[in-house]
Amino acid sequence: MDLAELLQRAQRLANDTEMETDLPRVERTLSQVLQATNELHARVTQAGTNDLQAHILLGSKGVDLPKLTQKLESLTASNSLEPLDPIEDTDVRGYLKNERENAILAVIDEANTNITTTVERQKWRSVYSEWGNMKESLLNALVGPSQQDFPDMQRQKVATELPDEPTPFSRLSYFETLYAKEITSYNESHIQGGHRTNLVATFANLAKSFDDPLVTEMWNVLYCMANETPMSRNIDPIQSRQSAPKFIQKARTYLERRYKIYMNAVTEKNLVLAKRGGIPSLYNLVCSYVGVEFQHSHSLTGLLNVDNNGKPLWPHVYYSLRCGDQAAAVQFLKESGTCPELLKLMMLKRLGDTSTSEISSTAKLEGQLKLDYNNKLRICSDPYKKAVYAIVLACDPHDGHGELIRTIDDFLWMQLSILREQENRDYNIEQLTYGGLQSLILEKYGENYFNAREKGPLYFQVLILTGQFESAIEFLARSNIMHAVHMAIALNEICLLGTPKSVMQPLLSAEPDDPAPMKRLNLVRLVVMYAKGFEKTDTAQALQYYYLLRHFKTEDRGPNAMLTCVCDLLVENCDDNMLALIFGDEDEANSNRFTGGIFAEFQTMDYDMYSLAGMVGDELSDRSNYESAIKLYYIAGHLNKALRLVCSLLSQVVHQPSRPGSMRERLTHVIQRLDASLVERKTDVQSHVMITYTTLARLMEFFDLVHAGKTRLASEILTNNRLVPSNSTEVDECVTNLKRMGPEINKVLPDVIMEAMNIVYAEYLEQRGGGGPDSGNVVDDTQNENREAVLHHLRGRAKALTNMAASVPYRMPAAINQRLVQLEILML
């Protein structure tokens, strides 16, 4: 392409871009365009990007920037409050102006000062007042409330003189006492073999006297769900409850009965609109209630089926089902003449025909209606019609039916109405099972959704109505254990409470084979938690509660949980008063029998008070409380165990002098009681135990005589019982006798040998100092020979004692050996 052709194409292009306008045409060269661009760039850069953006923003909003700039430049700061310039004395106008402005400034300054002072004064007055109120409240809290604060309260006067035998106050409240009386009456009826009442019904009637509607309602819900004939204890309550549809029907019946009461209340408040009349029936009640609910014509908007009288069809059907009257719902459908398939299905379900042909026709009809529901009714604008179909077909559990569900009762009834049993589920459509509803309430929603802290009774009722008795009672026990423990007891007595296999489980647990989300409640732990609060002051009532645990087996302690609980009670409070209360007093005619104890009324063929005493004695012995264990073994008749412990204790204190209140003095009374029992039951004790006990009893007499200074009688006790040798030939015989006795004799043997040596040495000094050449008495040769024979005999006894100390299979203390040798040397 040459330059001429290029020029022609450029001119043609320029002609095409020319526009007819009045503005003059500007022709610039490339250098001029470059210069203009540089100048524009310099102005933009100098003004700044922020100013440029501000101008663009204000210009886009219609602000005239040049005029705005002029107005801003014309504004000046007011100098009215600035310091005044000095003026000349002859300037009258300026002087008056200054005085006027000074007066204004003075007024403003004075007002500002007054306001500041007033605010400061009020602030400190408020602070001092608040401090004073706080100090007054603190002082009142320290000194206690005055009688004027509680004018209706009478102060209780405390007696200054206490009775000779004060009894502890009962820890049971008024309501707890009422519960305890019912438990006592129930146990007495069982022990006597009479007819046992239903504790759930008994406690439900008792709750009416509590004057607490929430407690009464909780018991009514439990009674409605647990009004059953007691089952066998061999049947698992959890498995039977999950497989029995009667619990679902009971929950629906309870909710329908409550809604029926609500409908009556609404119609009675609006009798004019309800237009009640005719024979009292649910059919007429539903008509009246719907008339009140749809009193305005605009309320019918969205309802598809309305009869000739202007009454909506599907609300009548829905509320008939809501209050549990399927007959009324069928009648409304018959009168309308619509939906014959649904009417037929409802009549078949109402009749409940179980023949094979009817079941197959029902299933076929139900499947057809489900297809119609999925294709058409899911988008239906009538919420009542959609709800009726969902209830009859038991489908579409995810539809919340928000237009109809207003309360928790409505929600729960709707969910219970669309339940299907696990084995009868239709896998072509999503359906809700009993376990799924329980998981929905307990796990998905939980306590936070139901605001259980503030609305505990409501959450408790929801759990009960969904068959989760154990979780409901555990939740209630956190805030009110009194009602919770009696609900658990009542359910357990009719075999409806799921309990764990081990009593050592936590309060709420789950077994591996249990269906989710079912839990098991540890009734033993719950009853013990409750009874521990009053078992010391109201022991008889505590034993009534423990008697209810006789069917629970323990792994390692006792045959059942009842004996274990009573055993723990006695171990912690094993004084004479408690033992007399539980076991009674010893029979004067028969020392081996106790009468009058409260435990005697609970004994059966499996256990009695004597087996309980032996069990407590073993526990006390394991805890090294031997004195109390001896008392329990004596009551139980376990003389062999009692003598073993007596021997162990005697070996520690038999050589000590007797002091008032000491263990040695207490053991003296124990030995007297045991000696009286051994007269009749000596054969129940092992031979070596009997020998050890007899020897220690004789040694106690020996040391009593020694401490009383009667050494001759004490020496006779040792000689008669062949405990220490009289000469060297008897050493082996005495050592052999020691081997037949228990180790307790070896513990006290050093003190016995030492006292025997002291007796011998005292006799030696007496014989040696009895006469001599300087005594002034004439002593013949015969007397001297007799005295020498006695001294020789005493030296032989001392030698035999030293030899025995070296021969016994027991390491004698070094101090004892040293003293024995020293005394023997002094007698040479």
Side-chain angles (χ1 to χ4, degrees):
M1 182 182 297
D2 55 358
L3 294 177
E5 186 180 356
L6 181 62
L7 178 61
Q8 292 176 0
R9 296 183 62 179
Q11 289 177 352
R12 191 182 302 113
L13 181 63
N15 293 332
D16 294 338
T17 58
E18 288 183 356
M19 300 175 59
E20 295 181 359
T21 178
D22 298 337
L23 296 177
R25 181 169 181 174
V26 179
E27 295 181 357
R28 292 186 180 182
T29 62
L30 293 176
S31 60
Q32 290 175 344
V33 172
L34 179 61
Q35 182 179 0
T37 303
N38 291 334
E39 291 178 357
L40 179 61
H41 181 266
R43 287 200 304 269
V44 172
T45 305
Q46 184 177 2
T49 58
N50 293 335
D51 294 342
L52 180 59
Q53 294 177 0
H55 281 281
I56 294 174
L57 176 61
L58 293 175
S60 64
K61 299 299 181 181
V63 179
D64 192 352
L65 297 180
K67 291 183 178 180
L68 182 61
T69 304
Q70 293 176 3
K71 290 180 180 181
L72 292 176
E73 291 177 353
S74 63
L75 294 176
T76 56
S78 176
N79 56 0
S80 59
L81 299 179
E82 294 179 356
L84 302 178
D85 296 332
I87 59 174
E88 299 179 358
D89 295 338
T90 59
D91 190 357
V92 177
R93 186 182 297 275
Y95 175 76
L96 294 176
K97 180 181 178 182
N98 286 348
E99 288 297 326
R100 178 177 178 275
E101 292 180 356
N102 283 331
I104 295 173
L105 291 175
V107 172
I108 294 174
D109 184 65
E110 183 179 0
N112 188 21
T113 304
N114 292 337
I115 291 173
T116 304
T117 305
T118 303
V119 171
E120 188 75 12
R121 189 185 302 112
Q122 291 181 355
K123 181 192 72 172
W124 285 111
R125 185 182 302 166
S126 177
V127 171
Y128 290 147
S129 177
E130 185 178 354
W131 288 356
N133 293 334
M134 186 172 293
K135 288 189 290 185
E136 182 179 357
S137 63
L138 291 175
L139 292 175
N140 290 337
L142 292 176
V143 302
S146 62
Q147 186 65 27
Q148 297 178 355
D149 296 336
F150 304 95
D152 298 334
M153 182 181 295
Q154 299 296 330
R155 299 196 179 200
Q156 183 179 4
K157 296 182 179 180
V158 181
T160 56
E161 295 183 1
L162 296 177
D164 296 335
E165 296 181 358
T167 58
F169 290 101
S170 175
R171 296 287 299 274
L172 293 174
S173 65
Y174 173 72
F175 300 123
E176 290 174 338
T177 303
L178 294 179
Y179 275 127
K181 289 181 180 178
E182 296 295 340
I183 291 292
T184 302
S185 176
Y186 179 80
N187 288 338
E188 290 177 354
S189 176
H190 175 264
I191 293 172
Q192 296 173 4
H195 175 69
R196 290 184 295 172
T197 59
N198 190 334
L199 274 181
V200 179
T202 303
F203 289 148
N205 293 329
L206 180 64
K208 298 177 181 178
S209 62
F210 290 171
D211 196 20
D212 190 342
L214 296 178
V215 174
T216 304
E217 189 63 28
M218 287 192 296
W219 273 110
N220 289 337
V221 173
L222 188 65
Y223 174 69
C224 177
M225 295 294 294
N227 188 15
E228 287 289 325
T229 303
M231 298 187 303
S232 173
R233 295 192 179 275
N234 298 326
I235 301 176
D236 187 14
I238 298 294
Q239 301 292 340
S240 63
R241 190 191 313 160
Q242 293 300 100
S243 59
K246 57 185 178 181
F247 290 99
I248 302 175
Q249 185 60 38
K250 287 183 177 182
R252 287 186 58 184
T253 303
Y254 176 80
L255 295 171
E256 290 165 357
R257 186 171 64 247
R258 282 179 50 164
Y259 199 78
K260 191 187 308 178
I261 297 173
Y262 167 74
M263 292 171 63
N264 275 313
V266 171
T267 54
E268 288 178 359
K269 291 181 180 179
N270 302 274
L271 292 177
V272 177
L273 296 173
K275 298 179 181 179
R276 301 200 59 172
I279 301 175
S281 62
L282 285 178
Y283 177 86
N284 293 326
L285 175 62
V286 171
C287 292
S288 300
Y289 179 75
V290 173
V292 174
E293 288 290 318
F294 297 90
Q295 51 185 311
H296 302 293
S297 59
H298 62 79
S299 300
L300 302 178
T301 304
L303 303 182
L304 299 181
N305 294 88
V306 179
D307 59 14
N308 297 328
N309 297 325
K311 296 180 180 179
L313 168 64
W314 296 110
H316 284 83
V317 179
Y318 171 76
Y319 287 118
S320 298
L321 296 175
R322 181 66 180 85
C323 62
D325 191 356
Q326 293 186 4
V330 171
Q331 185 175 352
F332 283 120
L333 285 175
K334 285 182 179 180
E335 293 176 354
S336 66
T338 59
C339 301
E341 295 83 3
L342 180 63
L343 176 60
K344 181 179 179 181
L345 179 62
M346 291 179 65
M347 294 180 65
L348 290 174
K349 287 189 174 183
R350 182 166 173 262
L351 294 175
D353 196 347
T354 58
S355 61
T356 306
S357 60
E358 292 295 338
I359 292 177
S360 61
S361 62
T362 301
K364 182 179 180 180
L365 183 57
E366 187 175 354
Q368 181 181 355
L369 289 175
K370 285 180 180 179
L371 291 177
D372 294 341
Y373 178 85
N374 291 329
N375 296 331
K376 301 177 182 179
L377 293 180
R378 281 184 181 272
I379 58 175
C380 178
S381 61
D382 189 345
Y384 293 95
K385 182 177 182 180
K386 185 166 58 173
V388 168
Y389 271 85
I391 293 170
V392 175
L393 300 177
C395 62
D396 200 7
H398 295 294
D399 192 342
H401 302 282
E403 300 88 347
L404 307 180
I405 304 301
R406 299 184 180 91
T407 63
I408 296 297
D409 284 2
D410 294 338
F411 166 77
L412 194 57
W413 177 83
M414 179 63 71
Q415 298 297 318
L416 290 170
S417 299
I418 62 177
L419 285 183
R420 280 295 179 93
E421 298 182 16
Q422 189 73 25
E423 60 273 11
N424 295 333
R425 291 190 60 187
D426 184 1
Y427 290 95
N428 297 325
I429 187 170
E430 188 172 3
Q431 294 173 337
L432 183 64
T433 61
Y434 199 28
L437 176 60
Q438 292 170 339
S439 300
L440 182 71
I441 297 297
L442 183 64
E443 297 176 351
K444 183 177 180 180
Y445 291 150
E447 299 179 15
N448 294 331
Y449 178 82
F450 290 95
N451 195 12
R453 288 192 176 184
E454 298 180 3
K455 300 178 180 179
L458 174 62
Y459 185 60
F460 171 83
Q461 294 178 30
V462 172
L463 291 176
I464 291 293
L465 291 173
T466 53
Q468 303 180 83
F469 300 157
E470 297 76 15
S471 299
I473 293 175
E474 187 273 337
F475 166 74
L476 183 61
R478 301 179 212 164
S479 57
N480 198 329
I481 192 175
M482 177 182 65
H483 300 299
V485 68
H486 291 94
M487 290 178 179
I489 290 173
L491 290 175
N492 182 69
E493 289 301 309
I494 58 177
C495 305
L496 283 182
L497 185 72
T499 56
K501 297 179 181 178
S502 173
V503 297
M504 303 304 294
Q505 292 290 334
L507 187 59
L508 197 67
S509 61
E511 299 289 342
D513 299 335
D514 292 341
M518 298 303 294
K519 309 293 183 183
R520 294 184 179 268
L521 184 72
N522 192 341
L523 180 63
V524 176
R525 187 178 295 274
L526 184 63
V527 171
V528 171
M529 288 170 54
Y530 176 71
K532 279 292 183 182
F534 57 86
E535 66 176 8
K536 294 182 180 180
T537 57
D538 303 270
T539 308
Q541 284 74 15
L543 261 63
Q544 297 288 347
Y545 283 92
Y546 292 151
Y547 179 72
L548 299 170
L549 307 178
R550 62 192 181 279
H551 299 295
F552 293 91
K553 304 298 182 181
T554 55
E555 290 87 354
D556 52 350
R557 296 179 56 199
N560 56 52
M562 174 196 173
L563 291 182
T564 302
C565 294
V566 180
C567 176
D568 293 338
L569 168 63
L570 291 173
V571 168
E572 296 175 3
N573 309 277
C574 192
D575 53 5
D576 294 337
N577 295 330
M578 182 62 71
L579 294 179
L581 177 65
I582 300 295
F583 300 105
D585 299 323
E586 189 174 1
D587 193 354
E588 296 180 358
N590 187 357
S591 60
N592 298 323
R593 183 178 180 184
F594 289 78
T595 59
I598 60 177
F599 192 80
E601 59 186 78
F602 299 114
Q603 59 189 18
T604 63
M605 296 296 295
D606 298 330
Y607 55 85
D608 53 13
M609 56 182 295
Y610 302 106
S611 60
L612 172 64
M615 179 179 174
V616 178
D618 293 338
E619 185 67 22
L620 290 171
S621 178
D622 294 339
R623 300 189 181 191
S624 301
N625 189 356
Y626 294 146
E627 288 190 71
S628 299
I630 292 171
K631 299 178 183 178
L632 271 301
Y633 283 143
Y634 179 77
I635 295 174
H638 299 170
L639 297 182
N640 189 72
K641 295 181 179 180
L643 291 180
R644 285 178 179 273
L645 296 182
V646 169
C647 293
S648 178
L649 294 178
L650 279 177
S651 64
Q652 303 174 29
V653 299
V654 68
H655 60 283
Q656 298 176 357
S658 180
R659 298 185 180 86
S662 63
M663 182 187 294
R664 194 177 190 278
E665 184 182 19
R666 296 195 299 270
L667 288 176
T668 302
H669 300 295
V670 173
I671 290 175
Q672 294 174 359
R673 297 180 64 183
L674 289 175
D675 289 342
S677 298
L678 287 174
V679 175
E680 300 177 359
R681 304 183 57 182
K682 189 173 183 179
T683 56
D684 297 342
V685 184
Q686 296 178 357
S687 59
H688 69 280
V689 176
M690 190 65 192
I691 294 173
T692 304
Y693 168 74
T694 305
T695 304
L696 287 173
R698 302 292 81 80
L699 287 178
M700 179 174 282
E701 298 177 6
F702 165 75
F703 281 105
D704 287 339
L705 294 174
V706 169
H707 297 314
K710 301 177 181 180
T711 57
R712 190 174 299 277
L713 295 176
S715 181
E716 291 179 359
I717 292 177
L718 293 179
T719 303
N720 295 334
N721 289 274
R722 313 293 292 176
L723 294 176
V724 293
S726 298
N727 49 57
S728 299
T729 59
E730 298 179 356
V731 172
D732 294 337
E733 181 182 357
C734 291
V735 172
T736 303
N737 290 336
L738 287 177
K739 294 180 180 180
R740 295 188 295 107
M741 303 177 186
E744 292 81 6
I745 302 298
N746 292 332
K747 295 180 181 179
V748 73
L749 184 62
D751 297 286
V752 174
I753 295 177
M754 191 69 246
E755 291 296 337
M757 180 65 79
N758 290 332
I759 292 174
V760 172
Y761 183 68
E763 291 181 2
Y764 177 81
L765 293 179
E766 181 181 358
Q767 291 295 330
R768 187 175 181 179
D774 299 332
S775 61
N777 297 327
V778 179
V779 181
D780 54 8
D781 294 339
T782 304
Q783 291 179 344
N784 289 332
E785 291 179 358
N786 291 336
R787 188 180 63 179
E788 288 297 329
V790 171
L791 293 177
H792 179 73
H793 174 70
L794 294 176
R795 294 189 189 99
R797 288 180 60 186
K799 181 67 174 178
L801 292 174
T802 306
N803 293 338
M804 183 178 179
S807 301
V808 293
Y810 176 75
R811 186 173 182 179
M812 303 289 286
I816 297 295
N817 286 325
Q818 183 179 0
R819 181 61 178 170
L820 290 175
V821 173
Q822 182 180 5
L823 292 178
E824 181 185 3
I825 293 174
L826 291 176
M827 295 171 64
L828 294 178

